[in-house]
């Protein structure tokens, strides 16, 4: 008998010393199960036995051995929790798509039983020769509150860490709320499964947004009139002979109105300020061009004191001040998530992207469903539900 076998027997001895095991509990506490509890506790016999006793008590309180698919008909029809398939290493891929109001409509016991039923179903679908672990895809695109999603995520990971040690291979948090990455950065050191949890965005696998046309300083370029964009600075006359529109080189006052007649149809007509109309009423065919007059020679209805000539000043380039009036494309810069997202997380999620984008088929899933009690669920008579993920909606 090796050293590892001795530790396994020591753990079982402490567990049986606490209370006698039932037939199902003895079947659950096999050698592989005890070795996983020892591994997560660093081969400490007492700590492993304590966690195993707690796990057996949890399974008895929630009656895990009697879970059935008929208890979760609503969740199965909506695609809230299901197994999307198996990866290249024959590991089952579990997808959780909880809505933001799920915890308000269900009790904590119902939530725990649903998570346990899905994990037990995934374990029953594992191949004996394959690695006894699963992959978790947590779709958070339906959540608006970062704290509400964090509570649901931490509750799920605690169930897995306490009762299914060394079972989680990788966990991906997909499209969480905007501030969740900062919240996750604070709680991550206290979460046991944080080392295998990654934050990814489904938008990273779509075509990138081209924002090369956006200038580095759009403060003034996007708001002020650019006179250089006009081929010829001229006065534009409308077909109704009401007013003339003149383009100026002054960036502060790029245009002004003069009430002189510029129409070739009625050269002697005069207009008043009350009869002036918008330039949008002018006919494109009747718009003419002629040389613009300098700002000092503008005509006005009311005489005014002429302004002194401006002296030429040398302008120095200054650091642009922050402004709210910026192009919306500036808000779509690609930045790494604070909570651990990055190139490594994106590459790790590539093999599981097809499971996330695959539509949910209730009928096909129910036909293959095998719960912890060993029975095959009967296909329900209601509608066939196909869930659409965030990446498929846009």
């Amino acid at each position: 008998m090796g050293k590892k076998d001795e530790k396994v027997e020591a753990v079982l001895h402490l567990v049986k010393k606490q209370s006698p095991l039932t037939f199902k509990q003895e079947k659950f506490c096999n050698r592989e199960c005890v070795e996983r509890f020892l591994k997560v506790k660093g081969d400490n016999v007492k700590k492993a036995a304590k966690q195993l006793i707690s796990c057996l008590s949890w399974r008895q309180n929630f009656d895990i051995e009697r879970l059935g698919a008929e208890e979760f008909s609503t969740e199965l029809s909506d695609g809230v929790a299901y197994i999307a398939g198996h990866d290249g290493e024959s590991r089952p891929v579990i997808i959780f798509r909880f809505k933001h109001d799920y915890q308000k409509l269900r009790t904590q016991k119902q939530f725990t039983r649903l998570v346990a039923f899905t994990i037990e179903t995934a374990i029953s679908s594992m191949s004996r020769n394959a690695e006894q672990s699963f992959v978790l895809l947590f779709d958070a695109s339906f959540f608006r509150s970062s704290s509400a999603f964090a509570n649901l995520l931490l509750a799920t990971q605690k169930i897995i860490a306490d009762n299914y040690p060394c079972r989680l291979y990788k966990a991906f948090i997909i499209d969480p709320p905007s501030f969740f990455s900062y919240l996750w950065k604070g709680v991550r050191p206290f979460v046991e499964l944080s080392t295998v949890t990654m934050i990814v965005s489904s938008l990273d696998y779509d075509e990138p947004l081209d924002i090369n046309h956006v200038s580095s300083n759009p403060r003034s370029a996007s708001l002020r009139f650019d006179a250089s964009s006009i081929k010829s600075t001229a006065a534009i006359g409308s077909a109704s002979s009401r007013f003339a529109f003149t383009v100026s080189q002054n960036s502060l006052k790029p245009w002004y109105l003069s009430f002189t007649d510029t129409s070739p149809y009625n050269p002697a007509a005069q207009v008043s300020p009350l009869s002036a109309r918008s330039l949008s009423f002018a006919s494109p065919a009747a718009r003419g061009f002629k040389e613009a007059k300098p700002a000092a020679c503008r005509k006005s209805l009311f005489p005014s004191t002429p302004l002194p000539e401006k002296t030429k000043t040398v302008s120095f380039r200054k650091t642009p001040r922050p402004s709210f009036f910026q192009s919306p494309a500036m808000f779509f810069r690609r930045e790494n998530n604070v909570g651990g997202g990055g190139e490594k997380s994106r590459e790790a999620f590539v093999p599981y992207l097809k499971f996330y984008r695959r539509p949910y088929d209730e009928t096909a899933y129910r036909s293959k469903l095998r719960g912890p009690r060993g029975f095959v669920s009967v296909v329900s008579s209601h509608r066939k539900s196909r869930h659409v993920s965030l990446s498929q909606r846009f």
Side-chain angles (χ1 to χ4, degrees):
M1 182 179 292
K3 188 176 181 179
K4 184 174 292 186
D5 294 334
E6 292 179 358
K7 289 187 176 181
V8 170
E9 292 296 331
V11 171
L12 290 176
H13 176 72
L14 292 176
V15 173
K16 293 178 181 179
K17 185 179 179 180
Q18 182 75 18
S19 62
L21 301 180
T22 62
F23 175 76
K24 292 183 178 180
Q25 288 178 342
E26 287 185 357
K27 186 178 180 181
F28 174 78
C29 297
N30 52 25
R31 184 176 183 274
E32 291 78 10
C33 176
V34 178
E35 286 181 353
R36 284 193 292 270
F37 280 89
L38 282 170
K39 182 179 179 181
V40 77
K41 292 300 180 182
D43 291 336
N44 190 310
V45 175
K46 291 185 178 180
K47 291 183 178 180
K50 183 179 179 180
Q51 185 174 355
L52 182 55
I53 293 173
S54 177
C55 176
L56 293 175
S57 177
W58 174 82
R59 295 178 67 88
Q60 185 177 3
N61 293 336
F62 285 93
D63 205 4
I64 302 300
E65 304 296 337
R66 294 182 177 274
L67 290 175
E70 65 277 1
E71 183 180 347
F72 312 103
S73 58
T74 304
E75 286 80 359
L76 292 178
S77 62
D78 295 337
V80 174
Y82 63 97
I83 302 170
H86 294 74
D87 63 359
E89 301 296 331
S90 300
R91 288 183 289 259
V93 180
I94 300 176
I95 295 183
F96 286 152
R97 284 196 170 103
F98 294 102
K99 304 294 180 63
H100 67 280
D101 57 347
Y102 182 82
Q103 287 184 312
K104 297 180 181 179
L105 304 176
R106 298 290 189 276
T107 62
Q108 184 65 25
K109 184 176 181 180
Q110 290 175 328
F111 166 74
T112 303
R113 288 176 64 85
L114 174 62
V115 174
F117 171 77
T118 308
I119 296 176
E120 291 287 340
T121 305
I123 293 175
S124 63
S125 67
M126 293 179 182
S127 176
R128 294 183 178 180
N129 300 327
E131 182 181 353
Q132 300 297 305
S133 60
F134 59 86
V135 180
L136 178 60
L137 306 184
F138 217 119
D139 187 2
S141 60
F142 296 100
F143 281 83
R144 297 189 294 266
S145 173
S146 299
S147 59
F149 173 69
N151 293 334
L152 198 67
L153 174 67
L154 295 179
T156 304
Q157 290 199 338
K158 181 174 177 56
I159 293 173
I160 298 174
D162 293 346
N163 306 289
Y164 302 96
C166 300
R167 287 287 195 180
L168 183 62
Y169 176 68
K170 286 181 181 179
F172 296 95
I173 304 172
I174 308 170
D175 299 329
S178 56
F179 290 100
F180 173 78
S181 56
Y182 299 94
L183 187 62
W184 176 251
K185 184 179 180 181
V187 302
R188 185 174 55 179
F190 308 99
V191 180
E192 184 176 350
L193 300 178
S194 61
T195 55
V196 295
T197 305
M198 305 177 186
I199 301 177
V200 295
S201 174
S202 61
L203 300 179
D204 293 340
Y205 303 92
D206 298 334
E207 294 183 1
L209 179 64
D210 186 13
I211 57 173
N212 296 328
H213 63 280
V214 181
S215 61
S216 60
N217 181 24
R219 173 181 172 84
S220 60
S222 62
L223 294 179
R224 292 186 177 179
F225 180 80
D226 187 7
S228 62
S229 62
I230 306 299
K231 294 183 180 180
S232 175
T233 58
I236 305 174
S238 65
S240 58
S241 304
R242 297 297 178 92
F243 65 94
F245 179 79
T246 306
V247 178
S248 171
Q249 296 292 340
N250 188 353
S251 62
L252 296 178
K253 296 181 179 180
W255 57 270
Y256 66 93
L257 298 176
S258 63
F259 298 99
T260 58
D261 185 21
T262 57
S263 175
Y265 302 103
N266 191 8
Q270 296 292 333
V271 296
S272 66
L274 299 177
S275 62
R277 294 168 61 188
S278 172
L279 180 62
S280 61
F281 290 92
S283 173
R287 294 175 183 175
F289 295 91
K290 69 178 183 178
E291 294 297 329
K293 297 181 181 180
C297 301
R298 295 176 183 170
K299 292 184 179 181
S300 176
L301 293 177
F302 307 100
S304 61
T305 304
L307 297 176
E309 295 184 359
K310 295 183 179 180
T311 58
K312 294 184 179 180
T313 57
V314 180
S315 60
F316 298 94
R317 183 165 185 160
K318 298 181 180 180
T319 304
R321 293 179 296 177
S323 173
F324 291 103
F325 301 103
Q326 293 186 353
S327 173
M330 300 299 292
F331 294 97
F332 292 93
R333 291 177 178 177
R334 289 192 174 188
E335 298 178 356
N336 292 338
N337 291 322
V338 180
E343 191 66 28
K344 184 178 179 181
S345 301
R346 288 193 288 268
E347 292 178 359
F349 183 64
V350 170
Y352 307 101
L353 182 63
K354 60 180 180 180
F355 298 102
Y356 172 70
R357 291 182 172 177
R358 182 181 300 168
Y360 171 68
D361 192 339
E362 180 192 358
T363 305
Y365 178 61
R366 279 181 174 268
S367 63
K368 301 177 182 179
L369 188 60
R370 182 177 293 273
R373 287 189 290 177
F375 68 91
V376 178
S377 174
V378 180
V379 179
S380 62
S381 59
H382 53 273
R383 62 180 178 82
K384 178 180 178 181
S385 175
R386 297 179 65 88
H387 179 80
V388 180
S389 61
L390 177 64
S391 59
Q392 294 169 326
R393 279 180 272 172
F394 299 98

